[in-house]
Short mmCIF file of all heavy atoms in Angstrom, two decimals:
data_model
loop_
_atom_site.label_atom_id
_atom_site.label_comp_id
_atom_site.label_asym_id
_atom_site.label_seq_id
_atom_site.Cartn_x
_atom_site.Cartn_y
_atom_site.Cartn_z
N MET A 1 -18.20 12.19 2.55
CA MET A 1 -17.25 11.11 2.82
C MET A 1 -15.99 11.72 3.43
O MET A 1 -15.44 12.67 2.88
CB MET A 1 -16.94 10.37 1.52
CG MET A 1 -15.85 9.33 1.70
SD MET A 1 -15.41 8.50 0.17
CE MET A 1 -16.53 7.14 0.24
N PRO A 2 -15.51 11.16 4.53
CA PRO A 2 -14.29 11.69 5.15
C PRO A 2 -13.06 11.37 4.31
O PRO A 2 -13.04 10.40 3.55
CB PRO A 2 -14.23 10.99 6.50
CG PRO A 2 -15.05 9.76 6.34
CD PRO A 2 -16.09 10.08 5.29
N LEU A 3 -12.05 12.20 4.46
CA LEU A 3 -10.78 11.95 3.77
C LEU A 3 -10.15 10.67 4.28
O LEU A 3 -10.27 10.33 5.46
CB LEU A 3 -9.82 13.11 3.99
CG LEU A 3 -10.21 14.43 3.36
CD1 LEU A 3 -9.20 15.49 3.75
CD2 LEU A 3 -10.29 14.31 1.86
N GLN A 4 -9.48 9.96 3.41
CA GLN A 4 -8.82 8.72 3.79
C GLN A 4 -7.42 8.71 3.18
O GLN A 4 -7.26 8.88 1.97
CB GLN A 4 -9.62 7.53 3.28
CG GLN A 4 -9.08 6.20 3.73
CD GLN A 4 -9.92 5.06 3.22
OE1 GLN A 4 -10.19 4.97 2.03
NE2 GLN A 4 -10.34 4.20 4.11
N GLN A 5 -6.42 8.52 4.03
CA GLN A 5 -5.04 8.44 3.55
C GLN A 5 -4.76 7.03 3.09
O GLN A 5 -5.12 6.07 3.76
CB GLN A 5 -4.10 8.81 4.70
CG GLN A 5 -2.65 8.81 4.30
CD GLN A 5 -1.76 9.27 5.44
OE1 GLN A 5 -2.19 10.03 6.31
NE2 GLN A 5 -0.54 8.81 5.44
N VAL A 6 -4.12 6.89 1.93
CA VAL A 6 -3.78 5.58 1.39
C VAL A 6 -2.35 5.58 0.84
O VAL A 6 -1.83 6.60 0.45
CB VAL A 6 -4.75 5.11 0.27
CG1 VAL A 6 -6.16 4.96 0.79
CG2 VAL A 6 -4.71 6.04 -0.90
N ALA A 7 -1.75 4.39 0.82
CA ALA A 7 -0.43 4.22 0.22
C ALA A 7 -0.60 4.12 -1.29
O ALA A 7 -1.53 3.49 -1.78
CB ALA A 7 0.23 2.95 0.76
N PHE A 8 0.32 4.75 -2.02
CA PHE A 8 0.21 4.69 -3.47
C PHE A 8 1.59 4.55 -4.11
O PHE A 8 2.62 4.83 -3.50
CB PHE A 8 -0.52 5.91 -4.05
CG PHE A 8 0.25 7.19 -3.93
CD1 PHE A 8 1.09 7.62 -4.95
CD2 PHE A 8 0.14 7.98 -2.80
CE1 PHE A 8 1.80 8.80 -4.84
CE2 PHE A 8 0.84 9.17 -2.68
CZ PHE A 8 1.67 9.58 -3.71
N LEU A 9 1.58 4.11 -5.33
CA LEU A 9 2.77 4.00 -6.16
C LEU A 9 2.58 4.96 -7.34
O LEU A 9 1.51 4.99 -7.95
CB LEU A 9 2.92 2.57 -6.67
CG LEU A 9 4.08 2.28 -7.61
CD1 LEU A 9 5.41 2.46 -6.88
CD2 LEU A 9 3.97 0.87 -8.16
N TRP A 10 3.59 5.77 -7.61
CA TRP A 10 3.54 6.69 -8.74
C TRP A 10 4.14 6.00 -9.94
O TRP A 10 5.28 5.53 -9.90
CB TRP A 10 4.31 7.96 -8.42
CG TRP A 10 4.40 8.91 -9.57
CD1 TRP A 10 5.48 9.10 -10.39
CD2 TRP A 10 3.37 9.76 -10.05
NE1 TRP A 10 5.19 10.05 -11.34
CE2 TRP A 10 3.89 10.47 -11.16
CE3 TRP A 10 2.06 10.01 -9.67
CZ2 TRP A 10 3.15 11.39 -11.86
CZ3 TRP A 10 1.33 10.93 -10.38
CH2 TRP A 10 1.88 11.61 -11.46
N ARG A 11 3.38 5.91 -11.00
CA ARG A 11 3.87 5.30 -12.24
C ARG A 11 3.92 6.38 -13.31
O ARG A 11 2.87 6.84 -13.78
CB ARG A 11 2.93 4.16 -12.67
CG ARG A 11 3.41 3.47 -13.93
CD ARG A 11 2.58 2.28 -14.26
NE ARG A 11 2.82 1.25 -13.25
CZ ARG A 11 2.03 0.21 -13.07
NH1 ARG A 11 0.95 0.06 -13.80
NH2 ARG A 11 2.33 -0.69 -12.16
N PRO A 12 5.13 6.83 -13.70
CA PRO A 12 5.23 7.87 -14.71
C PRO A 12 4.86 7.34 -16.10
O PRO A 12 5.03 6.15 -16.38
CB PRO A 12 6.70 8.28 -14.67
CG PRO A 12 7.42 7.12 -14.10
CD PRO A 12 6.44 6.39 -13.22
N ASN A 13 4.31 8.22 -16.91
CA ASN A 13 4.04 7.87 -18.30
C ASN A 13 4.12 9.14 -19.13
O ASN A 13 4.28 10.23 -18.60
CB ASN A 13 2.70 7.15 -18.48
CG ASN A 13 1.52 7.97 -18.00
OD1 ASN A 13 1.55 9.20 -18.00
ND2 ASN A 13 0.46 7.30 -17.58
N ILE A 14 3.99 9.01 -20.40
CA ILE A 14 4.08 10.17 -21.30
C ILE A 14 2.94 11.13 -20.99
O ILE A 14 1.79 10.73 -20.91
CB ILE A 14 4.03 9.72 -22.78
CG1 ILE A 14 5.24 8.84 -23.09
CG2 ILE A 14 3.95 10.91 -23.71
CD1 ILE A 14 5.21 8.20 -24.46
N GLY A 15 3.29 12.39 -20.80
CA GLY A 15 2.28 13.41 -20.54
C GLY A 15 1.86 13.50 -19.08
O GLY A 15 0.90 14.16 -18.75
N GLY A 16 2.56 12.84 -18.19
CA GLY A 16 2.19 12.92 -16.77
C GLY A 16 2.52 11.65 -16.03
O GLY A 16 3.60 11.11 -16.14
N GLY A 17 1.55 11.16 -15.30
CA GLY A 17 1.76 9.95 -14.53
C GLY A 17 0.45 9.47 -13.92
O GLY A 17 -0.60 10.06 -14.14
N GLN A 18 0.55 8.42 -13.15
CA GLN A 18 -0.63 7.80 -12.57
C GLN A 18 -0.34 7.38 -11.15
O GLN A 18 0.69 6.78 -10.87
CB GLN A 18 -1.02 6.59 -13.41
CG GLN A 18 -2.20 5.82 -12.92
CD GLN A 18 -2.47 4.59 -13.77
OE1 GLN A 18 -1.60 4.11 -14.50
NE2 GLN A 18 -3.66 4.06 -13.67
N MET A 19 -1.25 7.70 -10.23
CA MET A 19 -1.16 7.23 -8.85
C MET A 19 -1.94 5.93 -8.75
O MET A 19 -3.11 5.87 -9.14
CB MET A 19 -1.76 8.27 -7.90
CG MET A 19 -0.94 9.52 -7.76
SD MET A 19 -1.75 10.79 -6.75
CE MET A 19 -1.85 9.99 -5.18
N ILE A 20 -1.29 4.88 -8.23
CA ILE A 20 -1.95 3.58 -8.09
C ILE A 20 -2.10 3.29 -6.60
O ILE A 20 -1.11 3.21 -5.87
CB ILE A 20 -1.13 2.47 -8.78
CG1 ILE A 20 -0.99 2.79 -10.26
CG2 ILE A 20 -1.77 1.11 -8.55
CD1 ILE A 20 0.02 1.97 -10.98
N ASN A 21 -3.32 3.14 -6.14
CA ASN A 21 -3.61 2.82 -4.76
C ASN A 21 -3.12 1.39 -4.49
O ASN A 21 -3.63 0.43 -5.08
CB ASN A 21 -5.12 2.93 -4.50
CG ASN A 21 -5.51 2.65 -3.08
OD1 ASN A 21 -4.77 2.05 -2.30
ND2 ASN A 21 -6.72 3.06 -2.72
N LEU A 22 -2.14 1.22 -3.61
CA LEU A 22 -1.57 -0.10 -3.34
C LEU A 22 -2.58 -1.05 -2.72
O LEU A 22 -2.44 -2.27 -2.84
CB LEU A 22 -0.33 0.03 -2.46
CG LEU A 22 0.88 0.68 -3.13
CD1 LEU A 22 2.01 0.86 -2.12
CD2 LEU A 22 1.36 -0.14 -4.32
N ASN A 23 -3.61 -0.54 -2.07
CA ASN A 23 -4.64 -1.40 -1.50
C ASN A 23 -5.36 -2.21 -2.57
O ASN A 23 -5.82 -3.31 -2.31
CB ASN A 23 -5.66 -0.56 -0.71
CG ASN A 23 -5.07 -0.05 0.58
OD1 ASN A 23 -4.82 -0.80 1.51
ND2 ASN A 23 -4.82 1.25 0.62
N THR A 24 -5.43 -1.68 -3.79
CA THR A 24 -6.11 -2.39 -4.87
C THR A 24 -5.27 -3.55 -5.41
O THR A 24 -5.77 -4.37 -6.16
CB THR A 24 -6.45 -1.44 -6.04
OG1 THR A 24 -5.25 -0.93 -6.61
CG2 THR A 24 -7.33 -0.29 -5.56
N LEU A 25 -3.99 -3.62 -5.02
CA LEU A 25 -3.10 -4.67 -5.51
C LEU A 25 -2.86 -5.78 -4.50
O LEU A 25 -2.17 -6.75 -4.82
CB LEU A 25 -1.75 -4.05 -5.91
CG LEU A 25 -1.80 -2.93 -6.95
CD1 LEU A 25 -0.40 -2.37 -7.19
CD2 LEU A 25 -2.42 -3.42 -8.24
N LEU A 26 -3.43 -5.66 -3.30
CA LEU A 26 -3.22 -6.68 -2.27
C LEU A 26 -3.96 -7.95 -2.63
O LEU A 26 -5.11 -7.92 -3.07
CB LEU A 26 -3.72 -6.17 -0.91
CG LEU A 26 -2.95 -5.02 -0.29
CD1 LEU A 26 -3.61 -4.61 1.02
CD2 LEU A 26 -1.50 -5.40 -0.06
N GLY A 27 -3.31 -9.08 -2.40
CA GLY A 27 -3.94 -10.37 -2.60
C GLY A 27 -4.70 -10.80 -1.34
O GLY A 27 -4.91 -10.01 -0.42
N ALA A 28 -5.07 -12.05 -1.29
CA ALA A 28 -5.85 -12.59 -0.17
C ALA A 28 -5.12 -12.46 1.17
O ALA A 28 -5.75 -12.22 2.20
CB ALA A 28 -6.20 -14.05 -0.44
N THR A 29 -3.81 -12.58 1.17
CA THR A 29 -3.07 -12.49 2.44
C THR A 29 -3.06 -11.08 3.01
O THR A 29 -2.81 -10.90 4.19
CB THR A 29 -1.61 -12.98 2.28
OG1 THR A 29 -0.99 -12.19 1.26
CG2 THR A 29 -1.56 -14.44 1.92
N GLY A 30 -3.36 -10.09 2.19
CA GLY A 30 -3.35 -8.71 2.65
C GLY A 30 -4.73 -8.13 2.93
O GLY A 30 -4.86 -6.96 3.23
N ARG A 31 -5.76 -8.95 2.87
CA ARG A 31 -7.12 -8.42 3.01
C ARG A 31 -7.43 -7.87 4.39
O ARG A 31 -8.41 -7.14 4.55
CB ARG A 31 -8.15 -9.46 2.60
CG ARG A 31 -8.25 -10.62 3.54
CD ARG A 31 -9.37 -11.58 3.14
NE ARG A 31 -9.31 -12.77 3.95
CZ ARG A 31 -8.84 -13.94 3.56
NH1 ARG A 31 -8.42 -14.08 2.33
NH2 ARG A 31 -8.79 -14.96 4.38
N ASN A 32 -6.64 -8.22 5.41
CA ASN A 32 -6.88 -7.72 6.76
C ASN A 32 -6.16 -6.41 7.05
O ASN A 32 -6.16 -5.95 8.18
CB ASN A 32 -6.48 -8.77 7.80
CG ASN A 32 -7.40 -9.96 7.78
OD1 ASN A 32 -8.59 -9.84 7.53
ND2 ASN A 32 -6.83 -11.13 8.02
N TYR A 33 -5.53 -5.83 6.03
CA TYR A 33 -4.78 -4.60 6.22
C TYR A 33 -5.30 -3.50 5.30
O TYR A 33 -5.73 -3.77 4.19
CB TYR A 33 -3.30 -4.81 5.93
CG TYR A 33 -2.65 -5.78 6.88
CD1 TYR A 33 -2.45 -7.11 6.51
CD2 TYR A 33 -2.24 -5.37 8.13
CE1 TYR A 33 -1.86 -8.00 7.39
CE2 TYR A 33 -1.65 -6.26 9.01
CZ TYR A 33 -1.46 -7.58 8.63
OH TYR A 33 -0.88 -8.45 9.50
N ARG A 34 -5.23 -2.27 5.79
CA ARG A 34 -5.46 -1.09 4.94
C ARG A 34 -4.16 -0.32 4.93
O ARG A 34 -3.70 0.17 5.96
CB ARG A 34 -6.59 -0.22 5.47
CG ARG A 34 -6.90 0.94 4.52
CD ARG A 34 -8.13 1.71 4.93
NE ARG A 34 -7.96 2.41 6.20
CZ ARG A 34 -7.38 3.58 6.36
NH1 ARG A 34 -6.87 4.21 5.32
NH2 ARG A 34 -7.30 4.14 7.54
N LEU A 35 -3.54 -0.23 3.77
CA LEU A 35 -2.26 0.45 3.65
C LEU A 35 -2.47 1.96 3.74
O LEU A 35 -3.30 2.52 3.03
CB LEU A 35 -1.59 0.08 2.33
CG LEU A 35 -1.33 -1.42 2.13
CD1 LEU A 35 -0.80 -1.67 0.73
CD2 LEU A 35 -0.40 -1.95 3.18
N ILE A 36 -1.70 2.60 4.61
CA ILE A 36 -1.84 4.02 4.87
C ILE A 36 -0.77 4.83 4.15
O ILE A 36 -1.06 5.88 3.57
CB ILE A 36 -1.80 4.29 6.39
CG1 ILE A 36 -2.94 3.54 7.06
CG2 ILE A 36 -1.87 5.77 6.68
CD1 ILE A 36 -2.80 3.47 8.57
N SER A 37 0.47 4.36 4.20
CA SER A 37 1.56 5.07 3.53
C SER A 37 2.65 4.09 3.13
O SER A 37 2.88 3.10 3.80
CB SER A 37 2.14 6.16 4.44
OG SER A 37 2.74 5.58 5.58
N ALA A 38 3.29 4.38 2.02
CA ALA A 38 4.44 3.62 1.55
C ALA A 38 5.67 4.49 1.77
O ALA A 38 5.65 5.68 1.44
CB ALA A 38 4.29 3.25 0.09
N THR A 39 6.72 3.90 2.33
CA THR A 39 7.87 4.73 2.71
C THR A 39 9.14 4.43 1.95
O THR A 39 10.03 5.28 1.92
CB THR A 39 8.14 4.59 4.22
OG1 THR A 39 8.36 3.21 4.53
CG2 THR A 39 6.97 5.10 5.04
N ALA A 40 9.27 3.26 1.34
CA ALA A 40 10.50 2.93 0.61
C ALA A 40 10.23 1.79 -0.37
O ALA A 40 9.31 1.00 -0.19
CB ALA A 40 11.61 2.53 1.58
N ILE A 41 11.07 1.74 -1.40
CA ILE A 41 11.01 0.65 -2.37
C ILE A 41 12.45 0.28 -2.73
O ILE A 41 13.30 1.17 -2.86
CB ILE A 41 10.19 1.04 -3.62
CG1 ILE A 41 10.00 -0.15 -4.55
CG2 ILE A 41 10.79 2.23 -4.33
CD1 ILE A 41 8.96 0.09 -5.65
N ASN A 42 12.73 -1.03 -2.86
CA ASN A 42 14.09 -1.44 -3.20
C ASN A 42 14.18 -1.88 -4.66
O ASN A 42 13.19 -1.84 -5.40
CB ASN A 42 14.60 -2.53 -2.23
CG ASN A 42 13.86 -3.84 -2.35
OD1 ASN A 42 13.20 -4.14 -3.35
ND2 ASN A 42 13.96 -4.66 -1.31
N ASP A 43 15.37 -2.30 -5.08
CA ASP A 43 15.60 -2.70 -6.47
C ASP A 43 14.83 -3.94 -6.88
O ASP A 43 14.67 -4.22 -8.06
CB ASP A 43 17.09 -2.91 -6.73
CG ASP A 43 17.89 -1.63 -6.68
OD1 ASP A 43 17.28 -0.55 -6.88
OD2 ASP A 43 19.10 -1.68 -6.43
N ASN A 44 14.35 -4.73 -5.90
CA ASN A 44 13.56 -5.92 -6.19
C ASN A 44 12.06 -5.61 -6.26
O ASN A 44 11.25 -6.51 -6.46
CB ASN A 44 13.79 -7.00 -5.14
CG ASN A 44 15.21 -7.51 -5.17
OD1 ASN A 44 15.81 -7.65 -6.24
ND2 ASN A 44 15.77 -7.78 -4.01
N GLY A 45 11.69 -4.35 -6.06
CA GLY A 45 10.29 -3.96 -6.11
C GLY A 45 9.54 -4.14 -4.80
O GLY A 45 8.34 -3.92 -4.74
N GLN A 46 10.26 -4.56 -3.74
CA GLN A 46 9.62 -4.69 -2.43
C GLN A 46 9.36 -3.31 -1.85
O GLN A 46 10.20 -2.42 -1.94
CB GLN A 46 10.50 -5.49 -1.48
CG GLN A 46 10.66 -6.94 -1.88
CD GLN A 46 11.61 -7.66 -0.95
OE1 GLN A 46 12.73 -7.20 -0.75
NE2 GLN A 46 11.16 -8.77 -0.39
N ILE A 47 8.18 -3.15 -1.24
CA ILE A 47 7.76 -1.86 -0.70
C ILE A 47 7.55 -1.99 0.81
O ILE A 47 6.88 -2.91 1.27
CB ILE A 47 6.46 -1.39 -1.37
CG1 ILE A 47 6.69 -1.23 -2.88
CG2 ILE A 47 5.95 -0.10 -0.73
CD1 ILE A 47 5.42 -1.01 -3.67
N VAL A 48 8.13 -1.06 1.56
CA VAL A 48 7.89 -0.96 3.00
C VAL A 48 6.73 0.01 3.19
O VAL A 48 6.72 1.09 2.60
CB VAL A 48 9.14 -0.45 3.74
CG1 VAL A 48 8.84 -0.26 5.22
CG2 VAL A 48 10.30 -1.41 3.55
N ALA A 49 5.73 -0.40 3.98
CA ALA A 49 4.55 0.44 4.15
C ALA A 49 4.04 0.38 5.59
O ALA A 49 4.36 -0.55 6.34
CB ALA A 49 3.45 -0.02 3.20
N ASN A 50 3.24 1.38 5.92
CA ASN A 50 2.51 1.40 7.19
C ASN A 50 1.08 1.00 6.89
O ASN A 50 0.50 1.45 5.89
CB ASN A 50 2.54 2.80 7.80
CG ASN A 50 3.94 3.21 8.17
OD1 ASN A 50 4.65 2.50 8.85
ND2 ASN A 50 4.35 4.37 7.68
N ALA A 51 0.52 0.16 7.74
CA ALA A 51 -0.83 -0.34 7.50
C ALA A 51 -1.63 -0.32 8.80
O ALA A 51 -1.07 -0.30 9.89
CB ALA A 51 -0.77 -1.76 6.95
N TRP A 52 -2.94 -0.36 8.65
CA TRP A 52 -3.84 -0.52 9.78
C TRP A 52 -4.35 -1.95 9.74
O TRP A 52 -4.85 -2.43 8.71
CB TRP A 52 -5.01 0.46 9.69
CG TRP A 52 -5.88 0.36 10.90
CD1 TRP A 52 -7.06 -0.34 10.99
CD2 TRP A 52 -5.64 0.92 12.17
NE1 TRP A 52 -7.57 -0.21 12.26
CE2 TRP A 52 -6.71 0.56 13.01
CE3 TRP A 52 -4.63 1.72 12.68
CZ2 TRP A 52 -6.79 0.96 14.34
CZ3 TRP A 52 -4.71 2.11 14.01
CH2 TRP A 52 -5.78 1.73 14.82
N ASP A 53 -4.18 -2.68 10.85
CA ASP A 53 -4.66 -4.05 10.96
C ASP A 53 -6.15 -4.01 11.25
O ASP A 53 -6.58 -3.68 12.36
CB ASP A 53 -3.90 -4.76 12.09
CG ASP A 53 -4.21 -6.24 12.18
OD1 ASP A 53 -5.33 -6.65 11.78
OD2 ASP A 53 -3.35 -6.99 12.65
N ILE A 54 -6.96 -4.30 10.26
CA ILE A 54 -8.41 -4.22 10.38
C ILE A 54 -8.95 -5.25 11.36
O ILE A 54 -9.85 -4.97 12.15
CB ILE A 54 -9.07 -4.39 9.00
CG1 ILE A 54 -8.65 -3.26 8.07
CG2 ILE A 54 -10.59 -4.46 9.11
CD1 ILE A 54 -8.99 -3.48 6.62
N GLN A 55 -8.42 -6.45 11.32
CA GLN A 55 -8.93 -7.54 12.15
C GLN A 55 -8.60 -7.34 13.63
O GLN A 55 -9.45 -7.52 14.49
CB GLN A 55 -8.37 -8.87 11.66
CG GLN A 55 -8.95 -10.07 12.37
CD GLN A 55 -8.47 -11.37 11.74
OE1 GLN A 55 -7.52 -11.39 10.95
NE2 GLN A 55 -9.12 -12.45 12.07
N ASN A 56 -7.36 -6.97 13.95
CA ASN A 56 -6.93 -6.85 15.34
C ASN A 56 -6.86 -5.41 15.83
O ASN A 56 -6.68 -5.18 17.02
CB ASN A 56 -5.55 -7.52 15.51
CG ASN A 56 -5.61 -8.99 15.18
OD1 ASN A 56 -6.46 -9.70 15.66
ND2 ASN A 56 -4.70 -9.43 14.33
N GLY A 57 -6.96 -4.45 14.95
CA GLY A 57 -6.85 -3.05 15.32
C GLY A 57 -5.40 -2.68 15.57
O GLY A 57 -4.61 -3.50 16.02
N GLY A 58 -5.04 -1.48 15.22
CA GLY A 58 -3.69 -1.00 15.47
C GLY A 58 -2.83 -0.92 14.24
O GLY A 58 -3.08 -1.58 13.24
N PRO A 59 -1.80 -0.10 14.32
CA PRO A 59 -0.89 0.09 13.20
C PRO A 59 0.12 -1.06 13.08
O PRO A 59 0.45 -1.71 14.08
CB PRO A 59 -0.18 1.40 13.53
CG PRO A 59 -0.21 1.47 15.02
CD PRO A 59 -1.49 0.79 15.44
N ARG A 60 0.59 -1.30 11.88
CA ARG A 60 1.59 -2.33 11.61
C ARG A 60 2.53 -1.84 10.53
O ARG A 60 2.13 -1.09 9.64
CB ARG A 60 0.94 -3.62 11.10
CG ARG A 60 -0.06 -4.26 12.01
CD ARG A 60 0.63 -4.99 13.16
NE ARG A 60 -0.32 -5.68 13.99
CZ ARG A 60 -0.77 -5.23 15.16
NH1 ARG A 60 -0.37 -4.07 15.61
NH2 ARG A 60 -1.63 -5.91 15.87
N ALA A 61 3.78 -2.29 10.59
CA ALA A 61 4.72 -2.11 9.49
C ALA A 61 4.66 -3.37 8.64
O ALA A 61 4.62 -4.48 9.18
CB ALA A 61 6.13 -1.90 10.01
N VAL A 62 4.62 -3.22 7.34
CA VAL A 62 4.50 -4.39 6.45
C VAL A 62 5.51 -4.30 5.31
O VAL A 62 5.95 -3.21 4.94
CB VAL A 62 3.07 -4.52 5.86
CG1 VAL A 62 2.06 -4.81 6.95
CG2 VAL A 62 2.67 -3.29 5.10
N LEU A 63 5.89 -5.44 4.78
CA LEU A 63 6.75 -5.54 3.62
C LEU A 63 5.91 -6.15 2.50
O LEU A 63 5.41 -7.27 2.63
CB LEU A 63 7.98 -6.41 3.91
CG LEU A 63 8.90 -6.66 2.72
CD1 LEU A 63 9.53 -5.35 2.24
CD2 LEU A 63 9.98 -7.66 3.09
N LEU A 64 5.76 -5.43 1.42
CA LEU A 64 5.01 -5.89 0.26
C LEU A 64 5.97 -6.43 -0.78
O LEU A 64 6.90 -5.73 -1.17
CB LEU A 64 4.19 -4.74 -0.33
CG LEU A 64 3.32 -3.95 0.65
CD1 LEU A 64 2.74 -2.73 -0.04
CD2 LEU A 64 2.24 -4.83 1.22
N THR A 65 5.76 -7.66 -1.20
CA THR A 65 6.63 -8.28 -2.19
C THR A 65 5.81 -8.61 -3.43
O THR A 65 4.83 -9.37 -3.35
CB THR A 65 7.27 -9.57 -1.63
OG1 THR A 65 8.01 -9.23 -0.45
CG2 THR A 65 8.19 -10.21 -2.64
N PRO A 66 6.17 -8.04 -4.58
CA PRO A 66 5.39 -8.32 -5.80
C PRO A 66 5.59 -9.76 -6.26
O PRO A 66 6.62 -10.38 -6.01
CB PRO A 66 5.98 -7.33 -6.82
CG PRO A 66 7.35 -7.03 -6.32
CD PRO A 66 7.30 -7.16 -4.83
N ASN A 67 4.56 -10.28 -6.90
CA ASN A 67 4.69 -11.63 -7.46
C ASN A 67 4.40 -11.63 -8.93
O ASN A 67 4.03 -10.69 -9.52
CB ASN A 67 3.78 -12.63 -6.75
CG ASN A 67 2.32 -12.23 -6.77
OD1 ASN A 67 1.92 -11.31 -7.45
ND2 ASN A 67 1.53 -12.90 -5.99
#
């Protein structure tokens, strides 16, 4: 299997931490994107990320807003 770059969120916990693949948290509106990298997060939990548009092809900048 080839290597695949994905966007992740680091969640610290006792004894270490956990990497969470942000692609696993996308809802129905995000199904046409594959998140490649996350670059920033604000105090509201919004994440700026780079994604690949699966349906149309090509890179996109996206804003992820938690609900």
